[in-house]
Amino acid sequence: MRTTEEAEGFDGEASNTSMISGASSPYQPTTEPVHSRGVLGGIRCDVEYLKSYFGILKVVEVVLSLIAFICIETIMMCSPCGGVYFFEFVSCSAFVVTGVLLLIFSLNFHTKVPHVNWSLTDLVNTAASTFFFFLSSLVLACINHNTGAEIAAVIFGFLVTGVYGLNTFLAVRRWRLGSGCPGVVQTSEYMRARTASRGEVEARPELA
């Protein structure tokens, strides 16, 4: 009988020990579903961005750059052709780069790569596109044969220059306000989290 009682006592102590160790173990099982962290897992169309000033400007820039590129491509003969080739390169490059940035922002791809300063990238693209579109449109306006395609390309070139200039102005203002500096945002978030944690500690006097 003693052997049986001792065995039962040992089993009880062992079960209690396992329960205590299991409760204090930091590696607790979880019943929460494991979500996919892949890049393609969180793709969604950001309608709010497309409705914002930057989203609308991006769409207009892509459309006008494409129209300007189509106009310059319809020119069959040119002499000299330096201005035509320069405008063709600028319009094609602006269309591709701005289109890629539009997809990145509207599909939230930029949230998957937080190490890249996307606000600065967008600012550099808009500023460079403004300068080169203005320069190429000015050169094409001075060196052309007054054909319909050349005149249309010059008109759309100056139009898209104005849109890019407005986008650059808004991007610079956003940068100066600090929203383009991730360090400022991270610091403010850290201070808010630290303040909240201090408030929780003060609300729990048993931890003092």
Side-chain angles (χ1 to χ4, degrees):
M1 293 298 294
R2 177 179 293 180
T3 304
T4 305
E5 292 177 355
E6 291 178 354
E8 292 177 353
F10 290 147
D11 292 338
E13 292 177 357
S15 61
N16 292 333
T17 303
S18 62
M19 291 176 62
I20 294 174
S21 61
S24 60
S25 175
Y27 304 101
Q28 294 294 327
T30 178
T31 58
E32 296 180 357
V34 178
H35 299 282
S36 176
R37 297 180 179 270
V39 175
L40 301 179
I43 294 180
R44 63 180 181 84
C45 182
D46 192 352
V47 181
E48 295 299 327
Y49 173 77
L50 295 177
K51 292 181 179 179
S52 65
Y53 292 117
F54 289 99
I56 295 174
L57 288 175
K58 279 284 182 296
V59 174
V60 175
E61 289 163 1
V62 170
V63 173
L64 291 180
S65 298
L66 178 61
I67 295 176
F69 178 71
I70 293 175
C71 290
I72 204 68
E73 284 295 310
T74 58
I75 298 176
M76 298 301 177
M77 297 180 61
C78 60
S79 179
C81 297
V84 174
Y85 293 155
F86 182 40
F87 188 92
E88 179 183 11
F89 171 77
V90 171
S91 58
C92 181
S93 301
F95 169 73
V96 172
V97 176
T98 306
V100 171
L101 289 177
L102 177 62
L103 289 177
I104 290 175
F105 292 140
S106 61
L107 297 179
N108 284 324
F109 281 136
H110 62 289
T111 59
K112 304 297 181 180
V113 189
H115 304 291
V116 178
N117 194 329
W118 293 105
S119 297
L120 180 59
T121 303
D122 183 39
L123 175 59
V124 171
N125 173 66
T126 54
S129 299
T130 302
F131 173 76
F132 285 109
F133 250 122
F134 175 76
L135 183 61
S136 61
S137 300
L138 185 62
V139 171
L140 186 63
C142 297
I143 306 174
N144 65 80
H145 299 84
N146 295 324
T147 62
E150 290 175 329
I151 295 175
V154 170
I155 293 174
F156 283 105
F158 281 117
L159 284 177
V160 73
T161 299
V163 178
Y164 271 114
L166 178 60
N167 194 355
T168 303
F169 171 76
L170 295 177
V172 170
R173 187 174 65 175
R174 179 180 62 179
W175 178 261
R176 288 181 177 179
L177 290 176
S179 60
C181 300
V184 176
V185 177
Q186 292 177 0
T187 303
S188 60
E189 291 179 353
Y190 170 75
M191 294 302 296
R192 286 197 300 268
R194 187 174 181 180
T195 303
S197 63
R198 286 182 177 178
E200 293 177 0
V201 171
E202 292 176 357
R204 298 176 60 185
E206 67 273 13
L207 297 178

